[in-house]
Amino acid sequence: MQISDRIKSLSPSQTLAMSQRSNELKARGVDVINLSVGEPDFNTPEHIKAAAQKAIDDNYTFYTPVGGYQSLREAISRKLDVENGVKFGAGDIVVGNGAKQALCNVILSVVNPGDEVIIPVPAWVSYVEMVKLAEGKNVLVPAGIEQDFKATAAQIEAAITPRTRVLLLCSPSNPTGSVYSREELQAIVDVVARHPEILVISDEIYEHINFTGSFTSLASFPELAGRVVVINGVSKAYAMTGWRIGYMAGPTAVAKAVTKLQSQYTSGPSSIAQKAAEAAYNGPQECVEEMRLAFQRRRDLVVSLAREIKGLEVNEPQGAFYLFPKVTAFLGRRTPDGVVMETSGDIAMYLLEKAHVATVDGEAFCCPGYIRLSYATADDTIREAMKRIADALACLV
Ligand code: PMP
Ligand code: GLU
């Protein structure tokens, strides 16, 4: 059977693959703790579920407008204005099947073959693969733990060439939890402002899972007016990963291109999920803060436990729900059976097999030498997982 070169050159999502592997082990009766996939462990708040049930009763069961219901796009437009101080009209917003599709839509709509896309790494697994789909060229800017995983303005400036078309930033970051301060963003904005041909894509999906007390949207810098596409959605803030609602908000021309693509590709997203998302944006927001506080408490717990493990190097994540410890101290060591740990992938596999804890290796995020733990799980599960990891790593000699 012929499979296209395009798909053959694509890597499967390692976050989803690792999660599936851990679920398979679980189904075979193995007591696996899954710290691989990144999703809130909370149930979707009741008022949001009720809105979806009402949507069915009210017969919101027909095809939806390609870019999403006008009422949802207006709710998002208000959210962007009130929470982020940025003005995007409903016509500048396209709702897709999750932020993942919204982002892929944008990349496919603005990147020509050979165009360069600057991505600080570590970066979420899907970015480089989406750029590959668009036949663009990934230009990776390395930002390790010694710089708290944040690319500097000088690094970004050095990466810019005449072929650069896009800068893709994610803050709070997956997989590191790092959050760019307003000052750090300003320095990057000052660089990009000198290159009017560059579009900035700002992935703000973890906006609300932020422990710094403040969030600045890249779209709020006047220097970049008309040149920023915001990616966001309900998956993380409202514990709605399975509903598949996310959006892009950006220049009208990009929104139109994305709508055209979506019209041929998937049509508008689910009617019921859109009505639920509308309730999320228009309804009470206390649930968001409650979940944020739980993530912050778990961040403190996981960081303190990880710092007790000799050999792990750990930053203090300021947002999202990931820890990205450096594991290079364990490379070259052997398991009791004599297997040598050559990569962080070997360590992630060893932790799955020996400790029954599923993580994701740094290679998946273009950053070998690290592993990612998602701590969006109960405190006791975090304690048990960290104990198992500590015991397993102590067996490496
Ligand atoms: N961006 C980042 C950085 C993410 O971690 C995720 C979560 N998978 C997404 C986008 C996509 O989220 P969703 O498709 O669930 O809205
Ligand atoms: N964002 C999550 C993660 O990184 C969900 C899985 C995915 O879509 O990659 O684990």
Side-chain angles (χ1 to χ4, degrees):
M1 178 62 69
Q2 171 169 307
I3 300 298
S4 70
D5 295 343
R6 178 183 302 106
I7 298 305
K8 276 197 282 192
S9 73
L10 197 67
S11 305
S13 166
Q14 287 307 310
T15 46
L16 299 179
M18 197 62 173
S19 184
Q20 193 178 327
R21 201 168 301 151
S22 124
N23 289 339
E24 281 162 8
L25 279 177
K26 251 188 211 162
R28 297 210 319 253
V30 181
D31 167 28
V32 179
I33 299 180
N34 187 0
L35 304 187
S36 62
V37 74
E39 67 175 334
D41 56 322
F42 301 106
N43 292 325
T44 301
E46 289 303 324
H47 69 281
I48 298 176
K49 293 197 285 194
Q53 280 150 0
K54 182 166 185 313
I56 296 174
D57 292 341
D58 290 350
N59 295 309
Y60 281 95
T61 53
F62 298 90
Y63 282 133
T64 62
V66 174
Y69 287 128
Q70 178 75 13
S71 51
L72 173 57
R73 286 185 286 151
E74 281 169 5
I76 294 168
S77 170
R78 271 196 301 281
K79 174 255 179 268
L80 288 164
D81 186 11
V82 173
E83 293 187 351
N84 308 115
V86 299
K87 304 253 182 250
F88 288 106
D92 305 326
I93 294 166
V94 184
V95 182
N97 295 289
K100 189 181 260 184
Q101 190 197 6
L103 175 62
C104 199
N105 279 341
V106 172
I107 290 175
L108 288 171
S109 297
V110 303
V111 174
N112 272 329
D115 284 350
E116 293 180 2
V117 177
I118 297 178
I119 305 177
V121 291
W124 181 43
V125 288
S126 296
Y127 293 165
V128 296
E129 300 302 322
M130 290 174 180
V131 172
K132 267 162 59 180
L133 266 185
E135 297 176 55
K137 183 172 167 220
N138 285 294
V139 176
L140 307 182
V141 174
I145 196 165
E146 63 291 345
Q147 57 191 90
D148 195 22
F149 302 112
K150 290 186 267 190
T152 63
Q155 283 182 296
I156 297 210
E157 183 150 40
I160 294 173
T161 77
R163 299 285 336 236
T164 308
R165 285 293 167 272
V166 173
L167 167 65
L168 176 42
L169 278 185
C170 178
S171 175
S173 153
N174 178 3
T176 67
S178 294
V179 180
Y180 285 80
S181 68
R182 191 180 173 82
E183 293 68 34
E184 288 161 340
L185 290 179
Q186 182 68 61
I188 293 172
V189 166
D190 290 344
V191 168
V192 179
R194 294 198 288 274
H195 297 273
E197 67 288 357
I198 298 180
L199 179 79
V200 178
I201 303 179
S202 180
D203 184 343
E204 303 182 356
I205 189 90
Y206 294 99
E207 168 187 12
H208 288 293
I209 307 174
N210 181 344
F211 318 131
T212 67
S214 78
F215 175 78
T216 307
S217 170
L218 265 169
S220 66
F221 290 88
E223 298 91 324
L224 297 186
R227 284 211 276 146
V228 179
V229 177
V230 174
I231 301 292
N232 207 333
V234 292
S235 284
K236 316 288 171 172
Y238 299 96
M240 292 178 70
T241 49
W243 299 79
R244 311 307 307 129
I245 295 292
Y247 62 87
M248 58 112 335
T252 313
V254 178
K256 278 191 176 154
V258 163
T259 307
K260 184 161 71 167
L261 172 62
Q262 193 154 283
S263 78
Q264 294 291 17
Y265 199 35
T266 57
S267 301
S270 153
S271 52
I272 299 152
Q274 284 193 64
K275 282 292 166 195
E278 212 175 301
Y281 287 121
N282 290 338
Q285 300 298 308
E286 287 79 7
C287 53
V288 177
E289 177 60 7
E290 279 163 23
M291 291 189 271
R292 192 194 69 80
L293 284 170
F295 288 128
Q296 186 160 353
R297 191 186 64 237
R298 293 161 174 186
R299 186 275 312 263
D300 293 343
L301 177 65
V302 78
V303 167
S304 74
L305 293 173
R307 287 201 167 138
E308 284 170 16
I309 302 177
K310 205 163 157 273
L312 277 191
E313 211 179 310
V314 186
N315 69 329
E316 185 177 73
Q318 300 298 313
F321 36 62
Y322 305 107
L323 187 68
F324 201 63
K326 190 170 185 180
V327 294
T328 46
F330 299 96
L331 298 181
R333 295 196 195 175
R334 287 167 195 277
T335 68
D337 306 329
V339 180
V340 181
M341 297 288 105
E342 281 170 358
T343 63
S344 40
D346 293 343
I347 292 179
M349 206 41 75
Y350 170 70
L351 291 178
L352 181 62
E353 281 161 12
K354 166 91 179 167
H356 297 155
V357 178
T359 59
V360 184
D361 60 60
E363 283 89 341
F365 307 97
C366 305
C367 195
Y370 297 80
I371 57 172
R372 189 191 78 173
L373 317 179
S374 165
Y375 60 83
T377 187
D379 297 27
D380 283 347
T381 311
I382 293 173
R383 282 193 197 92
E384 171 64 17
M386 297 311 284
K387 181 179 177 311
R388 290 187 192 183
I389 291 175
D391 292 348
L393 290 178
C395 292
L396 294 175
V397 286

